[in-house]
Amino acid sequence: NANEVLIMTIKNNLLKIRLTLGYKFAKDFAEYLNINQNQYAKYECQTIQPASKILLHMCKRLNKPIEEIIYEE
């Protein structure tokens, strides 16, 4: 039906990635990623998702494909 609205929820794996890499504190991981600590906390809590530019930066820094960082729920 053309009138149906597609609703996608995008989530991220940042908490899982941070813990897997051995970062106990989010602030340390944010520093490693060169991302503002408060902004990173919002990403990790799923309050907001990273903008495309920041997401690409994370992919490069973490050497991970985008699909390992964000996913559709």
Side-chain angles (χ1 to χ4, degrees):
N1 186 336
N3 294 326
E4 289 182 25
V5 176
L6 178 63
I7 299 176
M8 292 189 320
T9 302
I10 303 295
K11 298 283 187 174
N12 69 64
N13 290 314
L14 291 171
L15 174 61
K16 183 176 169 182
I17 292 168
R18 173 171 66 85
L19 295 175
T20 299
L21 293 176
Y23 286 89
K24 185 175 181 180
F25 300 107
K27 67 181 183 72
D28 296 330
F29 194 53
E31 186 176 301
Y32 169 74
L33 292 173
N34 296 317
I35 295 174
N36 175 280
Q37 181 181 336
N38 293 326
Q39 194 73 12
Y40 175 79
K42 291 177 185 176
Y43 302 149
E44 194 174 280
C45 293
Q46 310 287 345
T47 304
I48 61 172
Q49 295 302 325
S52 302
K53 185 176 181 179
I54 295 171
L55 193 54
L56 289 172
H57 167 77
M58 288 180 181
C59 290
K60 289 177 185 176
R61 187 75 172 124
L62 296 169
N63 196 29
K64 293 189 178 293
I66 194 169
E67 297 84 7
E68 287 187 29
I69 298 174
I70 62 169
Y71 62 93
E72 181 184 347
E73 188 173 75

